[in-house]
């Protein structure tokens, strides 16, 4: 398949690193000069922009947390005057103050370039009709993908999220070939399309999924239901939005746009940079962002970098599918549990639907984990033992994966929540 | 001569069964026979309704998992040992009864009992030969 910008995406490693070093020096200086928070942090740590002589020197600069960014609400992170800002986005404020993101005209160009590469890697071309089912709101998702797809030359349907039956009608009538959505919403859309008996008239061939972590099992389910190539992409508002990285057709990790982002993996406990290939928390530094640089931002996402060459010919480092945000991790009776581990067991199980809900409670000082799934296979109603078999099989597999006893509850179809954006499947009542 | 039984998955949550029976009631669907068995986690409601096509459509449209199963509606003499005779006939032919439950109404001096067995055709044959009366779907409709 095509590569959007082979000069960058397939460049020699030494050339990539030379670009990164030059841009890192610029970005650190820019932040130091124009964003008081970064200036103060560096002064306190006794480090100056001129101390950055190699890429490794970045470790001298202090890490930045989400809490620190929140403290700069709304515009104290801007490194340019507002007249140079042409767009403002914000992340959701559900867990506190929202985080705002400003963009200059050039930032929007950079963003579109990053998305164009990722969307091309995922299979989108100028011949495609792209249905953007992310919400066109303050969130970065819809506008981010929109800019890059437009750059490629896709015919964009900016339908936004919600009103699912209409989504399916448009998808069928307009002949959408590319779908942009969260994996959980895409799955719900497939379910509605099946109910409307419209799935066979749908011409989707590519799915570009992002904005939430998902599992290989979920991908397989989406590919099976729609008959598409489904790739995942990654990004976050704090550093730009989607476009940090994305998978190619080989689906073996997300290629990072390394000329725009410098990725490090740290030990989340100590903050130490870990050697290449080890699993830890992803830390990102923007290399080309004018309006709002981010220096060593702790993403709280757990992943691993891969430097082995990819069959697609791109030389950019890849990051593994994220295992889950470290904030999403549940600690149940002292055991670390990622919802993605539960999803990997549930999706594709015979007899049940792909939707699920996780409920954590505490009774008599003991954590209790309950997983609800929908019973969809009516033939199991012949015998209790069949229902019990389904439940016991899921419970046994969860025990193997999590090393924990989990209560599995079968519920009626269409009774669990469906999501039009990022799924919220965990209810922690502790 | 079989009749259609509906099996519906009912979550073991408060009000779920009431919700289901109200759904049928509001739509004038009469459960002429009913059995609800449950474990602590879920229940299966089994029953016979006059108009099963209408019932299945309504039930699945309302988000329940529902299945149709062929069962025997057996007219059992309503006297001591009546049921035992039927059961002996079946076991004498190696037919296993998976479950049975009685009708809400009975027909005069006969009790109506629903049988789900492993060998349906054979059960029908041996019971008929033994002079046991089986009800047809139309007769059930008329109840
Ligand atoms: Zn690749």
């Amino acid at each position: 398949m095509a590569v959007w910008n082979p000069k960058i995406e397939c460049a020699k490693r030494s050339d990539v690193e030379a670009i990164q070093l030059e841009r890192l020096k610029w970005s650190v200086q820019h932040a130091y000069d124009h964003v008081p928070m970064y200036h103060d942090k560096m002064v306190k740590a006794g480090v100056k922009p001129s101390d950055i002589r190699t890429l490794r020197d970045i470790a001298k600069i202090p890490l930045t947390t989400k809490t620190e960014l929140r403290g700069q609400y709304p515009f104290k992170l801007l490194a340019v005057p507002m007249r140079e800002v042409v767009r403002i986005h914000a992340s959701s404020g559900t867990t506190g103050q929202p985080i705002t993101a400003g963009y200059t005209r050039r930032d929007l160009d950079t963003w579109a370039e990053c998305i164009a590469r990722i969307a091309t890697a995922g299979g989108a071309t100028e011949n495609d009709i792209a249905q953007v089912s992310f919400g066109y709101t303050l969130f970065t998702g819809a506008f981010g993908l929109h800019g890059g797809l437009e750059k490629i030359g896709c015919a964009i349907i900016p339908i936004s999220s919600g009103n699912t039956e209409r989504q399916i009608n448009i998808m069928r009538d307009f002949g959408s070939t590319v779908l942009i959505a969260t994996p959980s919403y895409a799955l719900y859309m497939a379910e509605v399309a099946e109910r409307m008996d419209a799935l066979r008239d749908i011409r989707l061939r590519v799915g570009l999924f992002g904005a939430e972590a998902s599992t290989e099992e979920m991908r397989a389910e989406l590919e099976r239901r729609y008959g598409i190539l489904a790739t995942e992409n990654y990004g976050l508002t704090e550093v730009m939005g989607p476009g940090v990285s994305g998978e190619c057709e080989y689906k073996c990790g997300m290629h990072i746009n390394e000329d725009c982002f410098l990725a490090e993996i740290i030990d989340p406990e100590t903050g130490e940079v870990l050697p290449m290939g080890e699993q830890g928390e992803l830390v990102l530094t923007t290399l080309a962002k004018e309006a709002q640089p981010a220096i060593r931002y702790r993403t709280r996402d757990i992943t691993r970098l891969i430097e082995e060459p990819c069959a697609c010919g791109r030389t950019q480092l890849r990051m593994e599918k994220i295992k889950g945000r470290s904030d999403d991790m549940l600690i149940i009776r002292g055991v670390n549990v990622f919802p993605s581990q539960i999803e990997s067991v549930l999706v594709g199980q015979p007899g049940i639907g792909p939707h699920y809900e996780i409920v954590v409670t505490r009774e008599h000082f003991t954590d209790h984990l309950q997983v609800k799934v929908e019973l969809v296979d009516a033939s199991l109603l012949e015998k209790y033992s069949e229902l019990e078999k389904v439940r016991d099989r899921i419970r046994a597999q969860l025990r193997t994966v999590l090393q924990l006893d989990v209560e599995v509850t079968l519920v009626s179809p269409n009774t669990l929540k469906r999501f039009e954006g990022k799924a919220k499947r965990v209810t922690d009542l502790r | 001569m079989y009749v259609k039984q509906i099996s519906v998955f009912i979550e073991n949550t408060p009000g779920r069964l009431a919700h289901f029976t109200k759904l049928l009631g509001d739509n004038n669907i009469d459960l002429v026979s009913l059995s609800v068995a449950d474990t602590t986690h879920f229940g299966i409601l089994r029953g016979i309704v006059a108009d099963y096509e209408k019932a299945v459509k309504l039930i699945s449209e309302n988000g329940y998992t529902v299945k149709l199963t062929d069962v025997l509606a057996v007219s059992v003499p309503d006297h001591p040992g009546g049921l035992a005779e039927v059961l002996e006939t079946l076991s004498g032919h190696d037919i296993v009864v998976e479950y049975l439950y009685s009708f809400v109404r009975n027909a005069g001096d006969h009790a109506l009992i629903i049988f789900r067995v492993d060998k349906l055709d054979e059960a029908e044959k041996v019971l008929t030969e033994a002079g046991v009366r089986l009800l047809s779907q139309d007769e059930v409709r008329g109840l």
Side-chain angles (χ1 to χ4, degrees), chain A residues 375-384 387-388 391 395 407-415, chain B residues 7-9 11 16 37-39 41-44 46 63-69 98-99 116:
Chain A
L375 176 81
V376 294
D377 182 359
S379 70
L380 298 170
L381 293 176
E382 283 292 310
K383 288 182 184 160
Y384 278 104
L387 286 181
E388 277 166 357
R391 195 193 54 198
R395 196 158 54 189
E407 180 190 346
V408 175
T409 305
L410 300 177
V411 303
S412 291
N414 300 304
T415 53
Chain B
S7 299
V8 183
F9 177 75
E11 282 163 51
R16 194 74 183 157
D38 78 64
T39 68
H41 296 282
F42 40 73
I44 299 176
R46 297 188 169 114
Y64 290 88
T65 307
V66 57
K67 178 162 195 326
L68 282 176
T69 311
E98 291 171 1
Y99 52 81
R116 169 68 190 172

Side-chain angles (χ1 to χ4, degrees), chain B residues 17-38:
Chain B
L17 181 59
H19 178 268
F20 177 76
T21 47
K22 186 170 184 308
L23 173 71
L24 296 189
D26 289 350
N27 289 278
N28 292 317
I29 292 173
D30 198 9
L31 274 165
V32 294
S33 172
L34 166 73
S35 132
V36 186
D38 78 64

Side-chain angles (χ1 to χ4, degrees), chain A residues 14 49 135 139 141 187 196 226 231 251 306 309 341 362:
Chain A
S14 56
F139 291 109
L187 188 61
M196 292 166 66
Y226 285 112
T231 60
K251 300 179 277 195
I306 306 164
Q341 293 175 288
R362 181 168 286 157

